[in-house]
């Protein structure tokens, strides 16, 4: 079993180009099946969730070729219409294939996606969006069967600005005759990038980034191309690492405005943050402890991202004062708290609320990741902790971090992956 070993308590110093964004590349890969031709996705990060998506594309009948950080997907040939159980379970967000398969073939079969460490991950909004476009969907014990004689445009009003449901609606609406309007759409930057990719394929989509997205569907789509944006959550993670350990880091290849709610709170905690074109720099004097911030409340974009909640909590465990966390997006996104307590953190949790009271220093320990961002948060805490930490459960972390040990080493940390004896 692999272990991420970090010897903490030393300031960071370094510059890093941040990997491509997991939460952009996954819908982009699914979108590629909409085009009868070859699509090219550049700056594609090497992640296990990407591997899982590629396995689904190949199962469907696409030709997939990787050339460095570029992935080309040939979706010319007729495609299969099912995502079988092992592939669907390998990746929680395999539901994102439902819309594009239905759009391309008029039918789709999907086993229920894998369980998730964050609590229930309902897909009711995805299904109601597709039904609005004319899909008939049968929900069986093992999964879903969908059929659509003729998809037609309609008005989709999302009760929650769900990222996945917005993406699935867009990916199906491009094949629906007429106009589709998505109201209360998610506004994440990854949605705007999906719009750009769809446009490069010949689709007519507008409004991404706002709460109202309009799609003029029905055009035959060809292959497109796109360069994946930098991963704002990976960037936020490493900034939190520098906040925890002290020192100075500069991250390139990411838009500072995409993580402005995170950098604002890190500045409030006493870090010096500088933003420039495609880069963010953070500095924290190791001799000056962080200050607690009043409250961290997660919300849909442009609010504070739920994915950065755990990394920020890890950094604020040694901030002077008390910070209130309210996790509004997922019901079980505090599994890192027990592990942080093992390092000496003082955290009380009641439901969606967690109260962090800063301590002088954390100490290293043998820790286990239980989900993707919670695992990354343990690395953040280990960077600032006294002594050595060993983090297992890395299969969670490798879903979203291409090479966390290499990245942290580049930023000046003493980090390596070793085999657990
Ligand atoms: C996306 O998940 C991201 N994943 C998540 O990142 C991220 O945390 C989340 O958006 C919120 O920003 C990808 O993009 C692959 P949602 P998604 O639908 O689309 C409820 C990470 O760590 N909901 O916006 O699944 C849902 O339960 C991952 O990188 C319904 O009730 O999130 C949640 O409470 C974790 N019914 C809220 O909406 C639905 O049909 C927001 O979820 C769909 C969602």
């Amino acid at each position: 079993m692999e272990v991420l070993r970090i010897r903490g308590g030393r300031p960071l110093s370094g510059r890093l180009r941040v990997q491509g964004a997991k939460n952009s590349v996954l819908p982009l890969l699914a979108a590629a099946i909409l085009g009868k031709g070859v699509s090219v996705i550049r700056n594609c990060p090497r992640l296990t969730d990407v591997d899982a998506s590629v396995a689904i594309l190949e199962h469907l009948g696409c030709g997939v070729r990787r050339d460095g950080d570029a992935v080309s997907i040939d979706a010319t040939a007729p495609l299969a219409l099912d995502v079988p159980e092992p592939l669907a379970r390998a990746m929680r967000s395999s539901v994102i294939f439902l819309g594009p398969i239905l759009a391309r073939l008029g039918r789709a079969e999907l086993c229920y996606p894998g369980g998730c460490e964050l609590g229930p991950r309902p897909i009711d909004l995805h299904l109601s969006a597709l039904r609005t476009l004319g899909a008939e969907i049968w929900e069986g014990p093992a999964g879903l069967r969908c059929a659509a004689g003729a998809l037609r445009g309609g008005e989709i009003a999302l009760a929650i600005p769900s990222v996945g449901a917005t993406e699935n609606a867009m990916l199906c609406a491009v094949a629906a005759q007429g106009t589709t309007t998505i109201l209360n759409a998610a506004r994440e930057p990854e949605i705007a990038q999906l719009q750009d990719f769809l446009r490069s394929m010949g689709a007519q989509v507008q409004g991404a980034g706002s709460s109202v997205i309009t799609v003029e569907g029905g055009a035959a789509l060809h292959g497109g191309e796109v360069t994946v944006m930098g991963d704002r959550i990976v960037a936020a993670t490493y900034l939190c690492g520098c906040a925890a350990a002290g020192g100075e880091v500069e991250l390139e290849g990411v838009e500072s405005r995409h993580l402005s709610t995170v950098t604002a709170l890190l500045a409030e905690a006493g870090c010096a943050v500088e933003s420039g074109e495609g880069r963010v720099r953070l500095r924290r004097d190791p001799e000056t402890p962080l200050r607690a911030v009043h409250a961290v409340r997660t919300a849909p974009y442009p609010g504070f991202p739920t994915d950065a909640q755990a990394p920020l909590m890890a950094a604020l465990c040694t901030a002077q004062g008390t910070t209130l966390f309210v996790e509004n997006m997922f019901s079980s996104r505090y599994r890192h708290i027990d592990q942080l307590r093992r390092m000496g953190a003082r955290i009380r949790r009641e439901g969606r609320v967690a109260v962090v009271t800063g301590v002088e220093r954390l100490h290293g320990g043998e820790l286990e990741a239980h989900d993707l961002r919670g695992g990354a948060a343990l690395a953040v805490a280990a960077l600032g902790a006294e002594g050595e930490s060993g983090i297992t459960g890395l299969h969670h972390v490798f879903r979203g971090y291409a090479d966390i040990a290499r990245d942290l080493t580049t930023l000046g940390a003493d980090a390596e992956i070793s085999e657990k004896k």
Side-chain angles (χ1 to χ4, degrees):
M1 171 171 47
E2 293 178 302
V3 186
L4 173 59
R5 294 227 156 270
I6 293 174
R7 279 164 287 280
R10 49 189 273 182
L12 298 189
S13 172
R15 176 182 298 178
L16 173 77
R17 171 163 286 277
V18 173
Q19 70 180 58
K22 168 178 87 79
N23 293 348
S24 179
V25 73
L26 296 183
L28 293 173
L29 288 165
I33 62 177
L34 291 167
K36 286 188 179 172
V38 178
S39 292
V40 180
I41 298 174
R42 295 185 177 84
N43 194 32
C44 179
R46 289 198 171 279
L47 304 170
T48 51
D49 269 7
V50 168
D51 297 340
S53 296
V54 168
I56 293 173
L57 288 171
E58 290 176 330
H59 167 82
L60 293 173
C62 297
V64 181
R65 201 165 50 80
R66 290 192 191 197
D67 181 9
D69 74 0
V71 177
S72 62
I73 301 113
D74 185 346
T76 311
L79 299 175
L81 54 79
D82 69 317
V83 178
E85 200 272 343
L87 296 177
R89 296 192 69 79
M91 186 176 68
R92 227 284 318 163
S93 46
S94 51
V95 67
I96 196 60
F97 281 88
L98 197 57
I101 295 173
L102 197 57
R104 175 78 185 259
L105 301 174
R107 288 177 55 208
E109 291 178 11
L110 175 81
C111 288
Y112 287 123
C116 175
E117 307 79 11
L118 306 183
R121 297 292 287 276
I123 58 171
D124 57 306
L125 299 178
H126 297 242
L127 303 187
S128 60
L130 300 184
R131 285 184 170 117
T132 301
L133 300 178
E136 283 187 273
I137 302 176
W138 297 272
E139 300 173 63
L144 304 164
R145 271 192 320 111
C146 312
L151 290 166
R152 59 190 180 286
E155 181 173 277
I156 297 167
L158 294 173
I160 298 171
S162 154
V163 172
T166 301
E167 293 165 344
N168 241 331
M170 291 165 74
L171 294 172
C172 190
V174 294
Q177 289 299 337
T179 304
T180 295
T181 307
I182 306 169
L183 302 172
N184 195 26
R187 297 168 51 192
E188 274 72 359
E190 293 80 17
I191 307 270
Q193 178 141 80
L194 180 62
Q195 172 176 280
D196 292 344
F197 182 47
L198 291 171
R199 283 177 171 171
S200 78
M201 301 172 82
Q204 292 186 58
V205 189
Q206 61 185 359
S210 79
S211 298
V212 180
I213 296 175
T214 307
V215 181
E216 294 300 334
L221 303 185
H222 48 74
E225 58 180 294
V226 66
T227 300
V228 180
M229 68 174 59
D231 193 313
R232 58 193 169 97
I233 304 301
V234 168
T237 304
Y238 296 155
L239 293 180
C240 289
C242 187
E248 179 170 354
V249 297
E250 177 156 344
L251 303 181
E252 299 168 337
V254 66
E255 286 303 319
S256 56
R257 59 190 162 84
H258 290 168
L259 56 158
S260 53
T261 52
V262 179
T263 52
L265 285 172
L266 289 170
E268 187 183 331
C271 299
V273 179
E274 280 174 51
S275 300
E277 185 60 34
R279 62 178 187 80
V280 186
R281 181 188 298 162
L282 181 138
R283 194 172 61 252
R284 201 268 287 177
D285 174 0
E287 301 310 315
T288 310
L290 289 169
R291 296 189 299 269
V293 298
H294 172 64
V296 181
R297 301 175 185 88
T298 65
Y301 194 90
F304 183 87
T306 172
D307 297 348
Q309 174 257 108
L312 183 61
M313 181 183 288
L316 295 180
C317 284
T318 54
Q320 290 180 326
T322 299
T323 300
L324 174 75
F325 281 81
V326 186
E327 173 51 69
N328 293 307
M329 303 301 286
F330 292 107
S331 60
S332 173
R333 200 160 203 178
Y334 281 143
R335 299 184 66 185
H336 46 284
I337 288 179
D338 285 346
Q339 300 297 310
L340 292 172
R341 284 180 177 141
R342 294 175 62 151
M343 303 175 78
R346 278 183 58 201
I347 307 172
R348 285 178 41 236
R349 179 208 171 165
E350 283 288 324
R352 288 179 179 268
V353 174
V355 177
V356 177
T357 303
V359 296
E360 182 81 20
R361 194 96 172 167
L362 297 182
H363 54 77
E366 295 307 304
L367 309 162
E368 183 177 6
H370 293 294
D371 60 67
L372 165 56
R373 307 300 176 185
L378 300 181
V380 167
L383 290 168
E386 201 59 49
E388 179 171 317
S389 297
I391 302 166
T392 55
L394 293 180
H395 61 284
H396 292 294
V397 177
F398 295 154
R399 287 185 45 224
Y401 295 79
D403 192 337
I404 192 165
R406 176 203 60 195
D407 287 353
L408 295 179
T409 304
T410 302
L411 294 173
D414 182 350
E416 63 177 350
I417 302 271
S418 63
E419 279 304 315
K420 192 173 181 74
K421 286 115 183 132

